[in-house]
Amino acid sequence: MNLKKMVFGTMALAMVSGSAVAGSSSGTSALDDPAKMSPFFTDAGMKTMKSEAETKAAWAAMSQEDRDAVMKDCADATIAKAHENFCKMAMMMGK
């Protein structure tokens, strides 16, 4: 009986921890975070970027940690393709 409980307990733990690990590795990028990205866009759908001056001001207002996360995501070709216009601007400002 104890062996049966241990096997089921182990299986349950494996399923719970497996889904937690999968969720952490497939998290969204910083570029998909509305809290970080809304200062750069004029619309809620984050399709239309603000002017260059407003974009530079928003970039300067970001923490260094957030800027690093954005630059890391823009360096990923797959993510950058989905955010092409923003990443071009970020790469210019991040130099």
Side-chain angles (χ1 to χ4, degrees), residues 31-85:
L31 302 178
D32 293 326
D33 182 358
K36 286 185 179 104
M37 301 306 295
S38 62
F40 297 98
F41 295 92
T42 61
D43 56 336
M46 294 191 290
K47 299 291 181 200
T48 307
M49 289 189 64
K50 291 183 177 179
S51 70
E52 187 175 341
E54 291 173 305
T55 301
K56 285 181 180 181
W59 181 261
M62 288 178 84
S63 70
Q64 185 62 46
E65 182 179 298
D66 287 344
R67 281 184 280 204
D68 291 343
V70 166
M71 294 301 290
K72 179 181 174 243
D73 288 344
C74 282
D76 182 311
T78 305
I79 296 172
K81 187 174 183 178
H83 303 279
E84 186 175 357
N85 291 333

Side-chain angles (χ1 to χ4, degrees), residues 24-35:
S24 66
S25 66
S26 64
T28 60
S29 75
L31 302 178
D32 293 326
D33 182 358

